[in-house]
Amino acid sequence: MRRFLAIAITAAILSGTFGIVSAESASAASRQHRVPQCVKVTKYFTKKHKRYVRLKNLCAKRSACYTVVVPWRPDTRGRLKKGATKSVRYGTDRDPRALYVKNRSC
């Protein structure tokens, strides 16, 4: 019984260590190809039974691409010019509200 308990504890410690190591390497890999966070949501609103999200490009020197993520719907993709603000329609009022807006590379 003691041997089984010792093996179980050792296995738990080693698996936790390997999990931490793999998480660190994954986060290091994601930092290398990080997309600039230029597109910010100003507001979500509904107008004439259509859902909109107002987006602003905070990067003054480059265009930015984005994806509007809505559950159970295809993602709406688009591009904002330098320093622009734009209202983007992504569905109707019967559709669920957008969860978030993801910055992506162009």
Side-chain angles (χ1 to χ4, degrees):
M1 184 68 179
R2 289 182 189 170
R3 180 180 284 173
F4 177 74
L5 187 58
I7 291 171
I9 290 173
T10 305
I13 290 171
L14 288 176
S15 66
T17 304
F18 291 134
I20 291 171
V21 170
S22 64
E24 287 176 359
S25 62
S27 66
S30 66
R31 277 186 243 136
Q32 293 173 353
H33 302 289
R34 188 168 179 178
V35 177
Q37 302 296 308
C38 294
V39 177
K40 296 294 178 188
V41 175
T42 307
K43 118 185 193 183
Y44 294 98
F45 62 97
T46 303
K47 185 177 180 182
K48 294 187 180 180
H49 303 290
K50 294 180 176 76
R51 291 197 188 265
Y52 291 89
V53 59
R54 184 164 295 147
L55 303 172
K56 184 171 188 170
N57 186 355
L58 299 178
C59 295
K61 296 185 179 183
R62 60 179 302 217
S63 295
C65 294
Y66 62 87
T67 302
V68 180
V69 178
V70 182
W72 305 297
R73 303 272 302 159
D75 295 338
T76 305
R77 296 177 176 220
R79 183 183 197 119
L80 280 175
K81 294 184 179 180
K82 305 174 197 174
T85 301
K86 181 179 177 182
S87 295
V88 178
R89 191 185 91 166
Y90 64 88
T92 64
D93 60 353
R94 294 183 181 203
D95 296 332
R97 200 188 112 182
L99 297 175
Y100 58 92
V101 175
K102 180 170 53 173
N103 288 280
R104 63 181 183 92
S105 59
C106 292

